[in-house]
Amino acid sequence: MSIDRIRNFCIIAHVDHGKSTLADRMLQITGTVSDREMVEQVLDSMDLEREKGVTIKASAVRMKYPYKGIDYELNLIDTPGHVDFNYEVSRALEACEGAVLVVDATQGIEAQTLANLYLALESNLTIIPVINKIDLASAQPDEVAEEIEALIGTPAASILRVSAKEGINVESVLREVVEKIPAPTGDANAPLKALVFDSHYDSYKGVVAYVRVMEGAVQTNNIVRMMATNADVKPVEIGVFAPGMTPINELSAGDVGYIATALKTVKECRVGDTLTLASNPADHPLPGYRH
């Protein structure tokens, strides 16, 4: 997929404003998940998350979306919705070019949404505001639209109004993602720089690093170096989440996916670290890493 057809974005919302439901609808509309496989909150695969309704692990799902006769690749990077994960959220945002800001039509903007919105604005992300839950009797979309206009300057009349639960107008969110969020930049021929924005441990594949490739490309036969710890690893597998782990041969500039490292502990592969190639390392890591 050429880089100008890729869109990397996240969804910012307060707990219970409908972030996971909107993500579910997007996965259904794009055919990433069939109706039969659809369980509530696909991105929240941990039982605890479902029970508490809070996204704890970030996920990154690749969707294919045809628009005006062209196939686009939309990477939805899910951010943790909890206030304690400020640094993790900031790394997930660094992996994106845009953010969909979801606000509940019955509640308006809340503090936690603001915190993540400011992080997104600091990262220079393109913000697409969306008012959700317009199907509820207590919804006040016009008042909430004015609140959003006062906050970020988007004209109230142009703010999308949706019901993720009922599937109303969700397709228009996908269209705005394609139209308004810029394509990633990055030179596929430069030395590899891939940002680790999350990871999980898999008993067969070791630590699986979730990466956004900023520059260069990585293939399964490459030796990868973690720039913070200087450890070299040969990937067991590289791939994308579609939405399950799907192996592919190469990730290149603009892509979002995973690298299974075979490392035994998450400590050896830290969020915010930069991965490069041992054979042709980058001069310096990506900015913003904190131990």
Side-chain angles (χ1 to χ4, degrees):
M1 177 77 63
S2 71
I3 197 167
D4 56 350
R5 294 187 187 176
I6 298 175
R7 300 289 182 273
N8 296 325
F9 72 104
C10 58
I11 301 177
I12 296 173
H14 192 75
V15 174
D16 285 343
H17 280 210
K19 179 172 85 163
S20 296
T21 314
L22 181 62
D24 289 350
R25 288 299 154 271
M26 288 178 167
L27 294 174
Q28 269 181 307
I29 289 172
T30 56
T32 310
V33 175
S34 70
D35 292 346
R36 190 173 59 81
E37 297 168 309
M38 195 75 217
V39 279
E40 290 288 322
Q41 299 160 327
V42 166
L43 294 183
D44 295 343
S45 54
M46 290 161 64
D47 295 337
L48 175 73
E49 297 184 347
R50 292 228 179 100
E51 191 184 306
K52 298 267 187 280
V54 176
T55 304
I56 300 171
K57 289 305 287 172
S59 304
V61 181
R62 176 181 285 197
M63 302 179 274
K64 289 270 185 288
Y65 181 62
Y67 180 64
K68 294 186 175 172
I70 296 172
D71 278 342
Y72 288 88
E73 178 185 299
L74 310 183
N75 291 309
L76 168 55
I77 294 171
D78 197 27
T79 55
H82 195 278
V83 69
D84 295 344
F85 296 124
N86 184 287
Y87 171 67
E88 285 78 358
V89 171
S90 76
R91 296 306 87 199
L93 294 177
E94 284 297 324
C96 304
E97 277 73 36
V100 174
L101 171 70
V102 178
V103 182
D104 185 324
T106 65
Q107 313 249 353
I109 291 169
E110 303 200 39
Q112 181 52 42
T113 319
L114 280 179
N116 287 348
L117 173 62
Y118 292 140
L119 280 175
L121 291 169
E122 274 170 35
S123 301
N124 291 324
L125 301 193
T126 300
I127 309 289
I128 298 175
V130 171
I131 297 169
N132 189 25
K133 304 195 186 182
I134 57 165
D135 55 307
L136 298 181
S138 55
Q140 297 181 305
D142 297 343
E143 287 86 338
V144 174
E146 282 167 19
E147 214 179 305
I148 294 171
E149 179 175 9
L151 185 67
I152 58 173
T154 309
S158 70
I159 295 172
L160 296 174
R161 288 130 197 256
V162 309
S163 165
K165 191 175 176 195
E166 302 298 327
I168 300 164
N169 220 7
V170 175
E171 182 105 28
S172 59
V173 182
L174 290 165
R175 287 198 292 269
E176 291 241 319
V177 166
V178 171
E179 283 181 0
K180 294 193 172 163
I181 293 176
T185 54
D187 179 359
N189 299 313
L192 175 69
K193 279 188 186 176
L195 171 70
V196 179
F197 62 86
D198 200 4
S199 64
H200 78 260
Y201 180 75
D202 178 288
S203 47
Y204 299 106
K205 298 173 181 149
V207 175
V208 177
Y210 298 24
V211 297
R212 154 71 197 273
V213 182
M214 299 296 188
E215 303 271 349
V218 58
Q219 293 162 336
T220 3
N221 56 0
N222 294 140
I223 303 287
V224 175
R225 176 168 296 166
M226 325 259 164
M227 293 186 82
T229 55
N230 238 359
D232 288 357
V233 293
K234 184 171 189 312
V236 187
E237 180 179 294
I238 62 174
V240 296
F241 298 98
M245 291 169 73
T246 310
I248 59 171
N249 295 324
E250 180 181 71
L251 290 171
S252 69
D255 281 335
V256 173
Y258 67 86
I259 297 176
T261 63
L263 291 167
K264 291 287 171 267
T265 68
V266 183
K267 280 198 193 93
E268 298 168 275
C269 177
R270 298 174 182 277
V271 169
D273 198 357
T274 303
L275 303 187
T276 190
L277 297 184
S279 57
N280 180 21
D283 300 339
H284 48 84
L286 296 161
Y289 172 71
R290 291 215 309 266
H291 187 65

